[in-house]
Amino acid sequence: VDPSQFSDFESFINQVIGVKNKSAANNSSNGNNSDPFRSPRTKVAYTVNTPPRTTRRDIEARLTLPLEKAYQGGNERIRLEDGRSLEVNMPPGMVTGQTIRLRNQGVGGGDLYLKITVEPHPLFKLEGLNIVCQVPVTPSEAVLGGQVEAPTLDGPVKMTTPPGVRSGQKFRLGNKGYPNDAGKRGDQLVEIQIVTPKNISQEERELYEKLRQIETFKPRADLIR
């Protein structure tokens, strides 16, 4: 052993008799080692990146239906703005402004609310649970009365008008209206409209001329005295 390699005499003696330097022993006991796996007291923490949970949120969608479909209900396939396609069992008797709740079809397990709009119909008009429609009749049908066909949401039905019916006069078809949530239906109100022909045959013209000569009905009698 070369004594000149040691800074003091104590270090030299310790080397000769096999005693480690205190500072080296301390460094070893304190675990100042570049390799953490050599120390049993070293703990290594690992972080796993997980995607954040989607916040539960309700969403709304709008659905426009023809009156016949809103009346009948049944399966309807709808496409949402997010690209999803759903088949929904619609209840019968839906009306504009009604909301249908679909559970767990929103964002993150939320609900989907369908806002219903019923399209205007060319024949039928809803007034509460009653349905109003106009039925045209000819002058002869109005004078003589008889059976005429009236449209309903269940298909055409025959109704009888009395002789001398007037334009604007209404007749009630019971239980032919719109259903409510309990299944009870309103009535259908049929409004008569007398329609005169624009084009008539020669035979019809001759009959109208003859009728004008023999008719006794004077609708303006009270206007001119």
Side-chain angles (χ1 to χ4, degrees):
V1 179
D2 186 2
S4 62
Q5 295 180 354
F6 300 93
S7 59
D8 53 38
F9 181 75
E10 182 181 357
S11 300
F12 171 72
I13 295 299
N14 288 337
Q15 178 65 26
V16 173
I17 63 178
V19 179
K20 291 184 179 181
N21 186 278
K22 290 183 178 181
S23 60
N26 289 337
N27 288 339
S28 175
S29 63
N30 289 338
N32 291 340
N33 196 312
S34 60
D35 188 354
F37 294 99
R38 293 184 181 178
S39 174
R41 297 183 180 181
T42 302
K43 295 182 180 180
V44 181
Y46 297 93
T47 302
V48 179
N49 293 327
T50 57
R53 288 188 62 185
T54 304
T55 304
R56 185 183 186 278
R57 180 165 58 88
D58 297 337
I59 60 176
E60 290 185 358
R62 297 187 179 276
L63 180 61
T64 301
L65 298 170
L67 179 61
E68 291 87 350
K69 185 63 179 180
Y71 165 69
Q72 295 173 356
N75 291 335
E76 182 76 11
R77 181 163 292 278
I78 63 173
R79 184 169 294 276
L80 304 178
E81 293 181 357
D82 59 8
R84 286 184 296 157
S85 180
L86 300 177
E87 186 161 330
V88 182
N89 187 17
M90 313 296 287
M94 291 174 287
V95 295
T96 296
Q98 182 175 347
T99 300
I100 297 176
R101 179 186 181 187
L102 302 178
R103 295 179 181 274
N104 303 323
Q105 295 299 330
V107 176
D111 298 332
L112 169 63
Y113 291 88
L114 284 180
K115 299 287 187 179
I116 301 299
T117 299
V118 180
E119 293 177 340
H121 197 276
L123 296 180
F124 304 115
K125 180 182 179 183
L126 287 179
E127 292 184 355
L129 294 181
N130 292 333
I131 298 176
V132 178
C133 76
Q134 293 181 338
V135 172
V137 297
T138 66
S140 61
E141 288 175 328
V143 172
L144 301 176
Q147 282 194 337
V148 296
E149 276 196 341
T152 72
L153 288 175
D154 300 319
V157 297
K158 288 185 177 182
M159 57 175 288
T160 302
T161 58
V165 69
R166 304 180 306 277
S167 276
Q169 191 171 351
K170 292 181 180 180
F171 297 90
R172 185 181 298 271
L173 299 177
N175 204 35
K176 287 295 184 181
Y178 215 65
N180 60 12
D181 294 338
K184 181 181 178 181
R185 295 184 64 174
D187 300 330
Q188 179 163 319
L189 304 178
V190 178
E191 182 179 335
I192 298 297
Q193 294 291 319
I194 301 174
V195 180
T196 57
K198 292 184 178 180
N199 300 310
I200 57 176
S201 66
Q202 183 62 33
E203 184 180 5
E204 287 174 322
R205 180 175 294 277
E206 291 174 357
L207 289 174
Y208 274 112
E209 289 287 351
K210 184 176 180 180
L211 178 61
R212 182 163 61 178
Q213 294 174 7
I214 64 175
E215 65 184 356
T216 58
F217 179 52
K218 305 296 181 182
R220 296 178 299 279
D222 293 337
L223 300 180
I224 303 174
R225 293 183 180 177

